[in-house]
Amino acid sequence: VIAQARRALREAVASRPDALVINGDLVDRGTAADFDLARQVIESEVGGRVPWFYVPGNHETYGPGDLREFSAEFGAAHRVADVAGTRMVLLDTSSGSLRGGGFDQVRMLREALDEARSDPRVRSVAVFAHHPLRDPSGGDASQLADPKEAELVNRWLAEFERGGKPAALVAAHAGTFHASTVDGVAAEVNGNSGKAPASAPDRGGFTGWSLLRMDPAEVRWETRPNVDRLELPAPRDLRAM
């Protein structure tokens, strides 16, 4: 697992991004020892070569039952950062809900969108949260627990999009890579980089990482799977036509 996580971090850094985001569940349990190891891995593979951010997932709470150890090691669980013209809104859904991370982060998201709409230095907005708004499997086990929260976030981002600047929501948690567009908003789910996938390969169940390109006119999402060997079935004999 650690080797796979290192590989993903190493490949992501090699792509020379403006920023790198770890979207939760980097650790299995949220103990001080786990976060010390996570810090060592991040520092050795990323260091100061690119700005990086760590969004907590549900596993970051396992053990203590909250994010006290996470915050002690990595700081605030939710915040806003502007990088290369993109306003990054990092949310805490480690409890499975926005409200669980504090109502102040709901206010933070609203204010970030309002300010970005009129700020000429901000060309796009990318929201990062561990839980997707909708489970890409079609069930409801891997999504925000409250559908009203999901509807609110999607509506706010759609309204922002109609103002002329692109927006994207990037999540994880489901263990599968998936991309969709809802009301004009790019909703991306990043699969696992270290742990075993939760679905078949043809349904996005593989390990890897993703590259998000926030251009002023559009959002582009590039999935980068770990490929060590590629096999294609083919007939033994081919007949010329």
Side-chain angles (χ1 to χ4, degrees):
V1 173
I2 294 178
Q4 287 280 43
R6 284 184 177 277
R7 175 178 178 174
L9 291 172
R10 195 177 304 123
E11 291 181 2
V13 170
S15 72
R16 303 176 65 182
D18 293 311
L20 185 149
V21 179
I22 299 166
N23 221 16
D25 286 0
L26 177 62
V27 299
D28 198 46
R29 291 175 59 81
T31 67
D34 284 287
F35 290 129
D36 285 344
L37 177 58
R39 168 75 71 174
Q40 293 175 27
V41 171
I42 296 169
E43 291 290 352
S44 64
E45 298 298 347
V46 183
R49 291 182 286 279
V50 59
W52 58 269
F53 304 89
Y54 188 171
V55 178
N58 50 298
H59 277 268
E60 275 72 17
T61 69
Y62 289 0
D66 55 31
L67 292 174
R68 72 184 79 173
E69 297 292 352
F70 174 87
S71 297
E73 184 71 51
F74 296 104
H78 60 268
R79 52 180 163 157
V80 175
D82 289 349
V83 178
T86 294
R87 174 147 299 171
M88 300 170 56
V89 184
L90 312 169
L91 299 175
D92 168 20
T93 65
S94 60
S95 67
S97 75
L98 286 175
R99 296 192 305 277
F103 185 74
D104 59 319
Q105 71 171 345
V106 180
R107 187 182 299 111
M108 179 191 76
L109 172 61
R110 180 68 267 173
E111 292 173 353
L113 292 172
D114 290 342
E115 293 168 1
R117 185 190 304 273
S118 58
D119 190 338
R121 296 169 298 179
V122 178
R123 301 188 299 273
S124 58
V125 167
V127 177
F128 296 86
H130 183 64
H131 291 71
L133 302 186
R134 296 172 182 81
D135 188 336
S137 72
D140 59 4
S142 296
Q143 63 185 31
L144 284 178
D146 187 346
K148 291 184 178 179
E149 286 187 350
E151 193 279 330
L152 176 69
V153 172
N154 193 83
R155 176 160 51 85
W156 281 359
L157 292 179
E159 290 171 352
F160 178 83
E161 274 264 359
R162 289 195 287 272
K165 297 180 180 181
L169 179 86
V170 182
H173 189 59
T176 185
F177 288 84
H178 185 270
S180 62
T181 302
V182 182
D183 297 333
V185 178
E188 319 293 353
V189 179
N190 198 64
N192 290 350
S193 296
K195 299 176 182 178
S199 60
D202 62 347
R203 298 186 63 84
F206 44 82
T207 58
W209 56 283
S210 301
L211 184 64
L212 177 66
R213 297 187 184 275
M214 299 295 295
D215 295 329
E218 64 175 347
V219 176
R220 288 187 292 162
W221 178 258
E222 300 175 12
T223 300
R224 303 292 181 89
N226 295 148
V227 179
D228 296 311
R229 185 177 67 185
L230 189 63
E231 296 182 2
L232 297 175
R236 296 186 57 168
D237 300 311
L238 295 176
R239 186 175 62 180
M241 300 295 291

